[in-house]
Amino acid sequence: MRSSTSVEQAIDDLAHRYLDRAHRGPLRLRLTEFVVFGLKQAWACVFGAALLAVIIAARLWYPDDAALARNDFLTISAVIIQVLMISFKLETLRELRVIVLFHAVGTVMELFKTDVGSWSYETEGFLRVGAVPLFSGFMYAAVGSYMVRVFRLFDLHFDHYPWRWITALVAAGIYVNFFSHHYIFDARWVLLAAVVLVYGRCVMHFRVFRKRFRMPILVSFLLVALFIWFAENIGTWSHAWLYPNQLNGWQAVSIDKLLAWFLLMIISVVLVAWVYKPEPPPSRTSATQIPDATQIRQGHPDIRGARPLD
């Protein structure tokens, strides 16, 4: 059983109380699963959502002539968000280690990409390395935060998960290509084919509340990449950073960036997999059956993370 933070446990407790108030018909059970799924997804995104909210607020209301540069304000805000997450035990120290690693990997990429002109930031402020404001690393950390939290929140298990050393090689190739394609052959389509080959058979099993569901892992990569692309559009609209074609007026981020984010997901998954080792799914019966109240109170072994009904 993977540990839960206070908020995560409160979501499950709320669902238990909701089901205890009335007859648990099929519709009520399905509605509960749907609501809990939405709440847990929102909670998994809390770091990124808070950071994005600050970016939007800075764009709309932060004064241009403030003594503290906007980019420095964003960096300080990101640090405060992270400190609060840890202080209130909304994020575990184990997760923080992965998030810091995401921060480092992302910042190195940012330094290179801004140098070659892939995108740019305003040069204001002191809290930066070269042309890269330090808040940029927190945007990668937000992706890492989501990944480690969703792994625990939904009790992820995997059928046919590839050997981790193979996934590490693919991820290393993807990371190197983010740099090397500016000088030599762009291997992104070759790498995409490698991802499909390596992960093609893998199926992700996840528990929302009581029922377990399954999804091809490649589909989950695509869905997360799509949501990151939406967030990137909001970020560039807020002028947190800009692509060359947006310097003379904002326009939507090219849909081609979906491939870049899809490949970045592989790096994210590999980093998280070294902290939370991918495990095979529990027994097939737990994936299809909803245990009754007696089983719940007795601590049925197929109910991962569920608490007894009050």
Side-chain angles (χ1 to χ4, degrees):
M1 184 182 298
R2 295 172 180 135
S3 60
S4 298
T5 66
S6 58
V7 174
E8 293 154 16
Q9 193 58 65
I11 293 173
D12 275 352
D13 290 344
L14 180 64
H16 279 297
R17 287 195 295 271
Y18 173 76
L19 287 178
D20 220 20
R21 290 173 184 162
H23 175 68
R24 301 187 196 102
L27 180 60
R28 194 177 185 89
L29 291 170
R30 292 191 184 96
L31 178 62
T32 301
E33 294 285 345
F34 178 77
V35 172
V36 171
F37 178 81
L39 289 174
K40 288 186 175 181
Q41 282 288 347
W43 177 240
C45 297
V46 67
F47 186 97
L51 183 58
L52 196 60
V54 172
I55 289 174
I56 295 172
R59 166 64 172 169
L60 295 176
W61 298 299
Y62 198 80
D64 294 333
D65 57 352
L68 181 68
R70 181 183 284 104
N71 284 347
D72 289 347
F73 167 76
L74 292 176
T75 299
I76 294 171
S77 299
V79 172
I80 291 174
I81 292 170
Q82 184 64 81
V83 170
L84 290 175
M85 295 283 290
I86 298 298
S87 299
F88 288 98
K89 297 181 179 181
L90 304 181
E91 203 162 64
T92 68
L93 292 175
R94 187 182 187 187
E95 291 168 347
L96 180 62
R97 292 198 295 269
V98 182
I99 292 167
V100 170
L101 184 57
F102 272 85
H103 197 297
V105 168
T107 299
V108 171
M109 187 186 300
E110 288 285 327
L111 288 168
F112 177 83
K113 288 292 190 177
T114 53
D115 187 61
V116 298
S118 295
W119 54 79
S120 60
Y121 296 89
E122 295 178 348
T123 57
E124 60 179 10
F126 296 99
L127 300 178
R128 56 190 175 92
V129 178
V132 179
L134 294 182
F135 80 83
S136 64
F138 284 95
M139 294 187 291
Y140 293 89
V143 177
S145 175
Y146 172 81
M147 294 296 296
V148 294
R149 292 155 74 78
V150 80
F151 201 104
R152 174 168 45 78
L153 273 167
F154 292 95
D155 191 29
L156 300 188
H157 290 75
F158 305 89
D159 266 330
H160 305 296
Y161 193 88
W163 288 331
R164 287 190 292 171
W165 68 269
I166 293 179
T167 65
L169 289 177
V170 174
I174 291 171
Y175 192 66
V176 169
N177 189 69
F178 277 122
F179 300 88
S180 63
H181 84 268
H182 292 278
Y183 307 107
I184 59 176
F185 171 70
D186 186 354
R188 69 182 63 191
W189 292 106
V190 175
L191 291 166
L192 176 62
V195 169
V196 173
L197 179 64
V198 170
Y199 286 97
R201 297 178 62 222
C202 185
V203 176
M204 180 179 71
H205 296 250
F206 59 97
R207 180 183 68 85
V208 176
F209 178 48
R210 293 182 179 175
K211 291 191 64 176
R212 297 193 68 86
F213 302 87
R214 51 186 293 166
M215 174 189 296
I217 196 169
L218 291 175
V219 175
S220 70
F221 292 165
L222 180 60
L223 290 174
V224 175
L226 182 62
F227 277 100
I228 295 175
W229 179 78
F230 285 131
E232 190 177 28
N233 274 282
I234 296 173
T236 55
W237 170 84
S238 302
H239 285 212
W241 72 96
L242 291 171
Y243 289 102
N245 65 328
Q246 296 173 322
L247 295 176
N248 295 322
W250 184 84
Q251 53 185 291
V253 176
S254 171
I255 197 69
D256 294 341
K257 293 294 181 182
L258 264 180
L259 176 57
W261 283 113
F262 181 89
L263 293 175
L264 184 66
M265 288 303 306
I266 308 306
I267 300 175
S268 306
V269 169
V270 168
L271 290 176
V272 174
W274 286 104
V275 175
Y276 292 116
K277 182 180 178 181
E279 299 287 352
S283 63
R284 184 173 300 276
T285 55
S286 65
T288 58
Q289 295 180 358
I290 300 175
D292 58 29
T294 301
Q295 290 174 314
I296 294 172
R297 292 191 181 97
Q298 293 176 350
H300 193 279
D302 287 339
I303 309 170
R304 294 177 174 266
R307 285 171 57 88
L309 289 170
D310 296 328

